[in-house]
Amino acid sequence: MNIKMIFNEFINEASKGEVSAYFTYNIIFETIINNQKVTSSQTKEGTIIPCLNIRNLDEFTKLLEIYIKKALDFYDLSSFEGTEKEKIKMIIASLFANATFDDFANPIEFLNRRINFFENSQEENLKSAFIPSLSSTLNASITKDKIYNETPYSFQAALRSDDGVFKLPEVKFGIADNTLYIYAIQNIPQEKSQFTKKINRALYKVNDGFQDDSTANLGDTTASFLIVSAIILSYMQTKNITKIKISNILIERWNAKRIAISKKTKFKNLPKEEEEALIKDQERIQSNLTEKFIRTFLRLSGQYKNLEISAYPYEIDSYLSLNVTGKLISENTLLNDISSGITNNVKHL
C-alpha cells in the first residue's frame, strides 16, 4: 500500500482532532514538511497542540514504512476487523500516542528509537534472586505488550514463597542506543491473600532511614513502584545498560482524554459545572501520575549510591535522565538486598 498517501490522509485528519481507523482516535497535531506548514489546527477542547516537524520527508517515509512492517510482524492484530488501510492508520495513531513534544520536533529520531525498541529486547525469563528482607524469591520476565500500550515490551516481576505470589507493578520500557527508556509503571490486578498483605506491609521497609531534605516531596511515592524500579534498574545493569531516561507527559494521551470529555459532555448534554469537574479530575489525575512517576526516580537517586541525575526534565530534553555509575548500593536494607541479589556474581560489576 502507498504509505505516503495514507500518511497524508492521517495528518489531515489529525489536524482536526479525529483520525478514522475503524475506530476513531482522538489525536490532534499540526504538520510542517520541509519548512512548509501543510496542516493547521485550531485549539480544541483545551488540547495542547504539538507540531510534527518533518525536515526530510523521504527519510521519514522510509523509516515509517520500516516501523509499520515491524509493528505488523510484532503485534497480534488478528482481532482487528478494519481494512488494511485502517490497520496502518491505527498503527500510526498508536505510534504518535506515545510521542513526547521532543518526538514531534524530531520525528526521525523518534522513529529510529521506536524501531530500536522492537529490535533491542526479546521475551525472556530473567535470573531469579532471593530477597532476604522479604523472605521471598524474585522472578522477573520481559514479555510482549499490546499495540495500544506505551512500548512493545513490558517488564514484569513477582515475589514468590511457599505462602503465595505477590505481583509487582509492570514497567513499560524500551531500549535504544544502550539507553533504558521508561514510559510508565502500572499496577496489575492480583488476588488478596495473607501473603500479599504481608508483602505489602514489608515493602514499606523501603522508607527505613529515608529523610527528604528536598522541596520535591519525595516522601510521596508508592513503595511498590520504588521496588519494581529498583528491580528493573538492577537487571538492566547486569546487561550493561546504565543510561536511563524517564518519560514525561505523552501529550496525545492527554489530548485524547480532553477531547473525550468534550464529546461526553455534548453527547450527554452535561451542564458546565459537570464538564469543569471532569476536566479538573483529569488534570488532577494527570498531574499525580506524571509528578509521582518522576518522583519515584528522583527518590531512588537519593537512596542509591551511584545512581546520578544527569539532567532534569526540559534542561536538555523532556526526559529525566540518570546514569548508573557503579554498583547500586543503598543504606536501605531492602533496596540493597534487591540490587545485590540481582547483580551478585555478574562479572562486569
Side-chain angles (χ1 to χ4, degrees), residues 57-103:
L57 182 58
D58 288 340
E59 186 178 359
F60 176 86
T61 305
K62 179 182 174 184
L63 288 169
L64 184 61
E65 288 176 346
I66 292 170
Y67 178 85
I68 290 167
K69 184 177 186 308
K70 286 189 175 292
L72 288 167
D73 290 341
F74 182 88
Y75 293 111
D76 179 7
L77 303 177
S78 57
S79 62
F80 185 80
E81 297 179 354
T83 65
E84 282 303 303
K85 184 174 85 168
E86 288 171 332
K87 186 183 289 186
I88 289 169
K89 287 172 72 179
M90 178 272 291
I91 289 170
I92 299 172
S94 300
L95 169 69
F96 282 105
N98 299 312
T100 65
F101 282 110
D102 293 327
D103 296 331

Tab-separated table of all heavy atoms in Angstrom, residues 57-103:
chain	number	residue	atom	x	y	z
A	57	LEU	N	11.339	14.448	4.210
A	57	LEU	CA	10.150	13.610	4.022
A	57	LEU	C	10.510	12.217	3.527
A	57	LEU	O	9.915	11.223	3.956
A	57	LEU	CB	9.172	14.276	3.051
A	57	LEU	CG	7.864	13.518	2.793
A	57	LEU	CD1	7.091	13.292	4.095
A	57	LEU	CD2	7.000	14.263	1.775
A	58	ASP	N	11.494	12.125	2.627
A	58	ASP	CA	11.858	10.810	2.077
A	58	ASP	C	12.396	9.898	3.182
A	58	ASP	O	12.013	8.721	3.273
A	58	ASP	CB	12.902	10.961	0.971
A	58	ASP	CG	12.312	11.571	-0.300
A	58	ASP	OD1	11.070	11.513	-0.455
A	58	ASP	OD2	13.077	12.102	-1.114
A	59	GLU	N	13.283	10.437	4.022
A	59	GLU	CA	13.844	9.620	5.112
A	59	GLU	C	12.763	9.251	6.118
A	59	GLU	O	12.700	8.113	6.603
A	59	GLU	CB	14.983	10.362	5.805
A	59	GLU	CG	15.705	9.508	6.840
A	59	GLU	CD	16.861	10.228	7.505
A	59	GLU	OE1	17.131	11.404	7.163
A	59	GLU	OE2	17.502	9.608	8.383
A	60	PHE	N	11.903	10.232	6.435
A	60	PHE	CA	10.810	9.968	7.364
A	60	PHE	C	9.909	8.853	6.832
A	60	PHE	O	9.556	7.926	7.572
A	60	PHE	CB	9.987	11.242	7.592
A	60	PHE	CG	8.773	11.045	8.453
A	60	PHE	CD1	8.864	11.125	9.833
A	60	PHE	CD2	7.539	10.740	7.889
A	60	PHE	CE1	7.740	10.933	10.641
A	60	PHE	CE2	6.417	10.533	8.678
A	60	PHE	CZ	6.517	10.636	10.054
A	61	THR	N	9.528	8.934	5.566
A	61	THR	CA	8.627	7.935	4.972
A	61	THR	C	9.270	6.550	4.964
A	61	THR	O	8.610	5.546	5.272
A	61	THR	CB	8.241	8.345	3.542
A	61	THR	OG1	7.674	9.662	3.559
A	61	THR	CG2	7.221	7.385	2.956
A	62	LYS	N	10.557	6.511	4.662
A	62	LYS	CA	11.274	5.226	4.651
A	62	LYS	C	11.257	4.593	6.046
A	62	LYS	O	10.973	3.393	6.199
A	62	LYS	CB	12.717	5.449	4.188
A	62	LYS	CG	13.566	4.189	4.166
A	62	LYS	CD	14.996	4.520	3.746
A	62	LYS	CE	15.903	3.298	3.850
A	62	LYS	NZ	17.314	3.632	3.527
A	63	LEU	N	11.532	5.400	7.069
A	63	LEU	CA	11.533	4.886	8.437
A	63	LEU	C	10.129	4.506	8.892
A	63	LEU	O	9.946	3.510	9.608
A	63	LEU	CB	12.133	5.920	9.393
A	63	LEU	CG	13.646	6.127	9.286
A	63	LEU	CD1	14.076	7.345	10.087
A	63	LEU	CD2	14.399	4.890	9.760
A	64	LEU	N	9.125	5.280	8.488
A	64	LEU	CA	7.746	4.957	8.851
A	64	LEU	C	7.337	3.616	8.245
A	64	LEU	O	6.671	2.805	8.902
A	64	LEU	CB	6.801	6.061	8.374
A	64	LEU	CG	5.328	5.903	8.757
A	64	LEU	CD1	5.150	5.879	10.278
A	64	LEU	CD2	4.482	7.010	8.149
A	65	GLU	N	7.752	3.360	7.005
A	65	GLU	CA	7.458	2.068	6.367
A	65	GLU	C	8.112	0.926	7.135
A	65	GLU	O	7.503	-0.134	7.341
A	65	GLU	CB	7.939	2.077	4.913
A	65	GLU	CG	7.085	2.941	3.994
A	65	GLU	CD	7.627	3.007	2.574
A	65	GLU	OE1	8.800	2.615	2.354
A	65	GLU	OE2	6.881	3.459	1.686
A	66	ILE	N	9.359	1.133	7.578
A	66	ILE	CA	10.060	0.096	8.360
A	66	ILE	C	9.318	-0.134	9.673
A	66	ILE	O	9.097	-1.286	10.081
A	66	ILE	CB	11.521	0.519	8.629
A	66	ILE	CG1	12.316	0.528	7.317
A	66	ILE	CG2	12.177	-0.420	9.648
A	66	ILE	CD1	13.703	1.171	7.442
A	67	TYR	N	8.918	0.959	10.330
A	67	TYR	CA	8.213	0.829	11.602
A	67	TYR	C	6.903	0.059	11.420
A	67	TYR	O	6.593	-0.848	12.206
A	67	TYR	CB	7.922	2.205	12.214
A	67	TYR	CG	7.143	2.090	13.496
A	67	TYR	CD1	7.787	1.875	14.706
A	67	TYR	CD2	5.743	2.109	13.496
A	67	TYR	CE1	7.075	1.706	15.884
A	67	TYR	CE2	5.024	1.939	14.666
A	67	TYR	CZ	5.691	1.739	15.853
A	67	TYR	OH	4.979	1.547	17.003
A	68	ILE	N	6.137	0.397	10.407
A	68	ILE	CA	4.841	-0.257	10.175
A	68	ILE	C	5.037	-1.743	9.915
A	68	ILE	O	4.297	-2.586	10.449
A	68	ILE	CB	4.095	0.427	9.010
A	68	ILE	CG1	3.623	1.821	9.448
A	68	ILE	CG2	2.905	-0.411	8.547
A	68	ILE	CD1	3.153	2.702	8.307
A	69	LYS	N	6.045	-2.084	9.105
A	69	LYS	CA	6.305	-3.506	8.826
A	69	LYS	C	6.672	-4.255	10.103
A	69	LYS	O	6.178	-5.361	10.358
A	69	LYS	CB	7.429	-3.651	7.797
A	69	LYS	CG	7.693	-5.103	7.390
A	69	LYS	CD	8.748	-5.209	6.317
A	69	LYS	CE	8.891	-6.648	5.835
A	69	LYS	NZ	9.099	-7.644	6.900
A	70	LYS	N	7.514	-3.644	10.931
A	70	LYS	CA	7.899	-4.302	12.184
A	70	LYS	C	6.697	-4.445	13.116
A	70	LYS	O	6.549	-5.462	13.807
A	70	LYS	CB	9.027	-3.529	12.863
A	70	LYS	CG	10.376	-3.719	12.169
A	70	LYS	CD	11.511	-3.138	12.960
A	70	LYS	CE	12.851	-3.459	12.278
A	70	LYS	NZ	13.175	-4.898	12.323
A	71	ALA	N	5.846	-3.418	13.157
A	71	ALA	CA	4.647	-3.491	14.004
A	71	ALA	C	3.713	-4.600	13.526
A	71	ALA	O	3.152	-5.348	14.349
A	71	ALA	CB	3.928	-2.147	13.996
A	72	LEU	N	3.547	-4.721	12.223
A	72	LEU	CA	2.681	-5.774	11.678
A	72	LEU	C	3.226	-7.163	12.006
A	72	LEU	O	2.472	-8.101	12.274
A	72	LEU	CB	2.547	-5.616	10.155
A	72	LEU	CG	1.686	-4.439	9.683
A	72	LEU	CD1	1.886	-4.207	8.181
A	72	LEU	CD2	0.205	-4.695	9.980
A	73	ASP	N	4.557	-7.289	11.994
A	73	ASP	CA	5.179	-8.578	12.317
A	73	ASP	C	5.142	-8.868	13.816
A	73	ASP	O	5.058	-10.030	14.234
A	73	ASP	CB	6.646	-8.589	11.843
A	73	ASP	CG	6.777	-8.617	10.326
A	73	ASP	OD1	5.784	-8.985	9.654
A	73	ASP	OD2	7.847	-8.248	9.820
A	74	PHE	N	5.228	-7.821	14.640
A	74	PHE	CA	5.396	-7.982	16.081
A	74	PHE	C	4.072	-8.214	16.804
A	74	PHE	O	3.956	-9.120	17.640
A	74	PHE	CB	6.086	-6.739	16.650
A	74	PHE	CG	6.366	-6.804	18.125
A	74	PHE	CD1	7.543	-7.367	18.604
A	74	PHE	CD2	5.463	-6.287	19.046
A	74	PHE	CE1	7.810	-7.425	19.962
A	74	PHE	CE2	5.717	-6.338	20.404
A	74	PHE	CZ	6.896	-6.915	20.860
A	75	TYR	N	3.092	-7.379	16.525
A	75	TYR	CA	1.845	-7.405	17.290
A	75	TYR	C	0.853	-8.420	16.713
A	75	TYR	O	0.798	-8.628	15.499
A	75	TYR	CB	1.191	-6.024	17.304
A	75	TYR	CG	1.973	-4.972	18.054
A	75	TYR	CD1	2.593	-3.918	17.383
A	75	TYR	CD2	2.089	-5.015	19.441
A	75	TYR	CE1	3.307	-2.947	18.072
A	75	TYR	CE2	2.796	-4.046	20.140
A	75	TYR	CZ	3.401	-3.022	19.446
A	75	TYR	OH	4.107	-2.062	20.137
A	76	ASP	N	0.078	-9.002	17.594
A	76	ASP	CA	-1.023	-9.862	17.171
A	76	ASP	C	-2.234	-8.969	16.883
A	76	ASP	O	-2.909	-8.509	17.802
A	76	ASP	CB	-1.349	-10.882	18.270
A	76	ASP	CG	-2.523	-11.785	17.887
A	76	ASP	OD1	-2.996	-11.701	16.727
A	76	ASP	OD2	-2.970	-12.563	18.743
A	77	LEU	N	-2.483	-8.729	15.607
A	77	LEU	CA	-3.596	-7.864	15.195
A	77	LEU	C	-4.706	-8.676	14.533
A	77	LEU	O	-5.505	-8.144	13.764
A	77	LEU	CB	-3.086	-6.768	14.243
A	77	LEU	CG	-1.957	-5.880	14.792
A	77	LEU	CD1	-1.497	-4.884	13.738
A	77	LEU	CD2	-2.402	-5.162	16.060
A	78	SER	N	-4.746	-9.975	14.852
A	78	SER	CA	-5.714	-10.869	14.197
A	78	SER	C	-7.158	-10.493	14.507
A	78	SER	O	-8.067	-10.798	13.728
A	78	SER	CB	-5.453	-12.325	14.601
A	78	SER	OG	-5.512	-12.468	16.019
A	79	SER	N	-7.392	-9.812	15.637
A	79	SER	CA	-8.766	-9.450	16.002
A	79	SER	C	-9.190	-8.104	15.407
A	79	SER	O	-10.354	-7.706	15.548
A	79	SER	CB	-8.917	-9.408	17.526
A	79	SER	OG	-8.060	-8.416	18.073
A	80	PHE	N	-8.263	-7.402	14.751
A	80	PHE	CA	-8.609	-6.113	14.157
A	80	PHE	C	-9.495	-6.349	12.935
A	80	PHE	O	-9.125	-7.064	12.010
A	80	PHE	CB	-7.344	-5.345	13.761
A	80	PHE	CG	-7.612	-3.959	13.249
A	80	PHE	CD1	-7.846	-2.922	14.132
A	80	PHE	CD2	-7.646	-3.693	11.886
A	80	PHE	CE1	-8.095	-1.631	13.668
A	80	PHE	CE2	-7.903	-2.416	11.415
A	80	PHE	CZ	-8.126	-1.383	12.312
A	81	GLU	N	-10.650	-5.717	12.916
A	81	GLU	CA	-11.653	-6.014	11.893
A	81	GLU	C	-11.688	-5.004	10.747
A	81	GLU	O	-12.489	-5.151	9.817
A	81	GLU	CB	-13.040	-6.106	12.545
A	81	GLU	CG	-13.146	-7.242	13.559
A	81	GLU	CD	-14.511	-7.316	14.222
A	81	GLU	OE1	-15.346	-6.411	13.973
A	81	GLU	OE2	-14.741	-8.266	14.982
A	82	GLY	N	-10.846	-3.986	10.797
A	82	GLY	CA	-10.864	-2.971	9.752
A	82	GLY	C	-10.116	-3.389	8.503
A	82	GLY	O	-9.579	-4.496	8.404
A	83	THR	N	-10.059	-2.482	7.529
A	83	THR	CA	-9.341	-2.720	6.278
A	83	THR	C	-7.840	-2.613	6.516
A	83	THR	O	-7.391	-2.164	7.578
A	83	THR	CB	-9.759	-1.691	5.218
A	83	THR	OG1	-9.345	-0.380	5.667
A	83	THR	CG2	-11.279	-1.702	4.996
A	84	GLU	N	-7.045	-2.972	5.505
A	84	GLU	CA	-5.591	-2.860	5.618
A	84	GLU	C	-5.180	-1.399	5.813
A	84	GLU	O	-4.271	-1.099	6.583
A	84	GLU	CB	-4.901	-3.460	4.386
A	84	GLU	CG	-4.831	-4.976	4.402
A	84	GLU	CD	-4.121	-5.522	5.638
A	84	GLU	OE1	-2.956	-5.141	5.875
A	84	GLU	OE2	-4.731	-6.326	6.371
A	85	LYS	N	-5.846	-0.493	5.086
A	85	LYS	CA	-5.535	0.929	5.253
A	85	LYS	C	-5.858	1.383	6.672
A	85	LYS	O	-5.070	2.104	7.294
A	85	LYS	CB	-6.301	1.781	4.240
A	85	LYS	CG	-5.915	3.263	4.316
A	85	LYS	CD	-6.571	4.087	3.219
A	85	LYS	CE	-7.951	4.525	3.618
A	85	LYS	NZ	-8.499	5.558	2.716
A	86	GLU	N	-6.982	0.959	7.204
A	86	GLU	CA	-7.348	1.326	8.570
A	86	GLU	C	-6.369	0.742	9.578
A	86	GLU	O	-6.042	1.375	10.585
A	86	GLU	CB	-8.771	0.859	8.874
A	86	GLU	CG	-9.839	1.680	8.165
A	86	GLU	CD	-11.229	1.089	8.299
A	86	GLU	OE1	-11.348	-0.153	8.460
A	86	GLU	OE2	-12.200	1.853	8.230
A	87	LYS	N	-5.870	-0.457	9.297
A	87	LYS	CA	-4.886	-1.078	10.189
A	87	LYS	C	-3.607	-0.243	10.232
A	87	LYS	O	-3.030	-0.008	11.307
A	87	LYS	CB	-4.584	-2.507	9.728
A	87	LYS	CG	-3.679	-3.280	10.675
A	87	LYS	CD	-3.354	-4.660	10.133
A	87	LYS	CE	-4.548	-5.573	10.182
A	87	LYS	NZ	-4.179	-6.966	9.775
A	88	ILE	N	-3.171	0.229	9.067
A	88	ILE	CA	-1.958	1.044	9.009
A	88	ILE	C	-2.173	2.374	9.733
A	88	ILE	O	-1.310	2.830	10.496
A	88	ILE	CB	-1.527	1.262	7.547
A	88	ILE	CG1	-0.980	-0.057	6.978
A	88	ILE	CG2	-0.464	2.364	7.442
A	88	ILE	CD1	-0.760	-0.066	5.492
A	89	LYS	N	-3.337	2.990	9.542
A	89	LYS	CA	-3.639	4.248	10.243
A	89	LYS	C	-3.709	4.024	11.753
A	89	LYS	O	-3.269	4.873	12.541
A	89	LYS	CB	-4.945	4.845	9.716
A	89	LYS	CG	-4.808	5.451	8.326
A	89	LYS	CD	-6.151	5.862	7.751
A	89	LYS	CE	-6.722	7.072	8.434
A	89	LYS	NZ	-8.018	7.479	7.844
A	90	MET	N	-4.232	2.868	12.166
A	90	MET	CA	-4.273	2.541	13.593
A	90	MET	C	-2.865	2.405	14.157
A	90	MET	O	-2.562	2.875	15.270
A	90	MET	CB	-5.065	1.247	13.805
A	90	MET	CG	-5.137	0.768	15.249
A	90	MET	SD	-3.754	-0.295	15.737
A	90	MET	CE	-4.098	-1.758	14.757
A	91	ILE	N	-1.964	1.783	13.408
A	91	ILE	CA	-0.568	1.638	13.845
A	91	ILE	C	0.081	3.009	13.988
A	91	ILE	O	0.786	3.289	14.969
A	91	ILE	CB	0.217	0.746	12.849
A	91	ILE	CG1	-0.245	-0.709	12.964
A	91	ILE	CG2	1.722	0.845	13.102
A	91	ILE	CD1	0.289	-1.625	11.881
A	92	ILE	N	-0.166	3.903	13.027
A	92	ILE	CA	0.410	5.250	13.097
A	92	ILE	C	-0.180	6.019	14.278
A	92	ILE	O	0.530	6.736	14.999
A	92	ILE	CB	0.186	6.012	11.771
A	92	ILE	CG1	0.861	5.275	10.607
A	92	ILE	CG2	0.751	7.428	11.872
A	92	ILE	CD1	0.523	5.844	9.235
A	93	ALA	N	-1.494	5.855	14.502
A	93	ALA	CA	-2.140	6.522	15.643
A	93	ALA	C	-1.542	6.039	16.963
A	93	ALA	O	-1.264	6.839	17.868
A	93	ALA	CB	-3.640	6.269	15.614
A	94	SER	N	-1.330	4.732	17.078
A	94	SER	CA	-0.739	4.164	18.299
A	94	SER	C	0.694	4.641	18.484
A	94	SER	O	1.152	4.844	19.615
A	94	SER	CB	-0.787	2.634	18.238
A	94	SER	OG	-2.111	2.179	18.137
A	95	LEU	N	1.407	4.834	17.375
A	95	LEU	CA	2.774	5.353	17.431
A	95	LEU	C	2.798	6.758	18.026
A	95	LEU	O	3.529	7.037	18.986
A	95	LEU	CB	3.372	5.363	16.019
A	95	LEU	CG	4.700	6.096	15.817
A	95	LEU	CD1	5.833	5.346	16.512
A	95	LEU	CD2	5.002	6.256	14.334
A	96	PHE	N	1.970	7.653	17.475
A	96	PHE	CA	2.005	9.047	17.933
A	96	PHE	C	1.354	9.233	19.292
A	96	PHE	O	1.597	10.246	19.959
A	96	PHE	CB	1.384	9.964	16.882
A	96	PHE	CG	2.319	10.242	15.737
A	96	PHE	CD1	2.128	9.643	14.512
A	96	PHE	CD2	3.411	11.070	15.912
A	96	PHE	CE1	3.010	9.875	13.469
A	96	PHE	CE2	4.307	11.312	14.879
A	96	PHE	CZ	4.103	10.715	13.638
A	97	ALA	N	0.566	8.270	19.732
A	97	ALA	CA	0.027	8.330	21.099
A	97	ALA	C	1.141	8.258	22.129
A	97	ALA	O	0.952	8.650	23.288
A	97	ALA	CB	-0.971	7.197	21.317
A	98	ASN	N	2.316	7.777	21.714
A	98	ASN	CA	3.441	7.604	22.633
A	98	ASN	C	4.583	8.578	22.346
A	98	ASN	O	5.727	8.327	22.708
A	98	ASN	CB	3.945	6.154	22.558
A	98	ASN	CG	2.867	5.175	22.952
A	98	ASN	OD1	2.214	5.353	23.974
A	98	ASN	ND2	2.646	4.158	22.139
A	99	ALA	N	4.248	9.695	21.711
A	99	ALA	CA	5.260	10.698	21.369
A	99	ALA	C	5.279	11.822	22.402
A	99	ALA	O	4.234	12.267	22.873
A	99	ALA	CB	4.978	11.273	19.980
A	100	THR	N	6.474	12.272	22.735
A	100	THR	CA	6.648	13.456	23.572
A	100	THR	C	6.733	14.682	22.664
A	100	THR	O	6.787	14.568	21.438
A	100	THR	CB	7.936	13.356	24.405
A	100	THR	OG1	9.057	13.368	23.491
A	100	THR	CG2	7.969	12.071	25.223
A	101	PHE	N	6.773	15.881	23.274
A	101	PHE	CA	6.986	17.087	22.485
A	101	PHE	C	8.285	16.986	21.691
A	101	PHE	O	8.361	17.417	20.536
A	101	PHE	CB	7.012	18.325	23.392
A	101	PHE	CG	5.658	18.784	23.830
A	101	PHE	CD1	5.260	18.644	25.151
A	101	PHE	CD2	4.774	19.359	22.931
A	101	PHE	CE1	4.007	19.077	25.564
A	101	PHE	CE2	3.517	19.789	23.332
A	101	PHE	CZ	3.131	19.648	24.655
A	102	ASP	N	9.343	16.448	22.308
A	102	ASP	CA	10.624	16.277	21.613
A	102	ASP	C	10.471	15.390	20.388
A	102	ASP	O	11.104	15.629	19.353
A	102	ASP	CB	11.661	15.630	22.546
A	102	ASP	CG	12.057	16.535	23.686
A	102	ASP	OD1	12.082	17.752	23.491
A	102	ASP	OD2	12.332	16.015	24.774
A	103	ASP	N	9.651	14.354	20.503
A	103	ASP	CA	9.475	13.415	19.389
A	103	ASP	C	8.777	14.085	18.211
A	103	ASP	O	9.103	13.807	17.051
A	103	ASP	CB	8.674	12.199	19.855
A	103	ASP	CG	9.404	11.402	20.911
A	103	ASP	OD1	10.650	11.410	20.907
A	103	ASP	OD2	8.742	10.777	21.767
